[in-house]
Amino acid sequence: MQRNRLELVGYLAAKPALRRLASGTPVANVRLGVSYRYQAGDCKPQQHTNWHSLSFYGDLSRVAMTFEKGDNIFVEGSIEQRQFTPKGDGAPRTVHEVVVRNCHLIAAPRSATTKGAAASASAPEEPVVLDLPRGEIDHEDWPVG
């Protein structure tokens, strides 16, 4: 049996960028940083971050646009390879990206939770409610935010 499935938990490098394909399908793209820690040979703790390109197609692009820079998110998807030729130089390029099938927000960035501390202390922020069609979402409780 073969399987192309990936689960990642990490922090967004920026707010997702939205574009449309020639067919009109919306696509949101963003980079996700996933860090891990280890001890080097000299027993000093080290940290390394891997960066992954994420693509959210269709209705998931609307969800992705609610994310902000620094959000801690969970994504499930598959690794895809695509080739394209940039308009400038004409040399073909190959890109590996994670095509997201399911995602949810784990935590907003600290700066977003601390901004307007006086205002948020008096009135809690309303959760984002998305009107997505049923049946196209894999997880009943998704999106969580």
Side-chain angles (χ1 to χ4, degrees):
M1 173 170 62
Q2 297 179 3
R3 181 175 290 172
N4 181 1
R5 182 171 179 254
L6 179 67
E7 291 181 352
L8 297 170
V9 175
Y11 294 91
L12 295 179
K15 176 140 180 81
L18 185 65
R19 64 184 175 90
R20 291 199 178 269
L21 300 177
S23 65
T25 304
V27 181
N29 297 101
V30 69
R31 307 258 306 155
L32 181 76
V34 178
S35 298
Y36 64 93
R37 294 181 181 176
Y38 63 95
Q39 283 190 339
D42 56 2
C43 294
K44 292 186 180 178
Q46 302 287 322
Q47 180 172 326
H48 180 75
T49 302
N50 289 315
W51 292 96
H52 303 275
S53 297
L54 306 180
S55 293
F56 299 80
Y57 288 89
D59 287 335
L60 280 177
S61 67
R62 289 183 11 197
V63 175
M65 294 311 293
T66 65
F67 297 150
E68 297 292 333
K69 177 181 180 176
D71 281 353
N72 186 4
I73 67 168
F74 164 85
V75 296
E76 176 194 348
S78 58
I79 298 175
E80 302 290 332
Q81 175 181 315
R82 64 181 171 88
Q83 295 180 338
F84 69 98
T85 304
K87 294 178 183 173
D89 61 5
R93 304 250 173 116
T94 301
V95 176
H96 292 88
E97 61 190 1
V98 177
V99 175
V100 177
R101 307 273 186 245
N102 189 7
C103 66
H104 66 265
L105 178 67
I106 295 173
R110 281 178 223 161
S111 61
T113 58
T114 58
K115 97 179 127 171
S120 62
S122 61
E125 190 174 309
E126 289 294 317
V128 175
V129 178
L130 299 172
D131 185 25
L132 296 176
R134 298 289 289 169
E136 294 185 24
I137 302 173
D138 293 335
H139 192 278
E140 283 188 46
D141 297 328
W142 175 87
V144 176

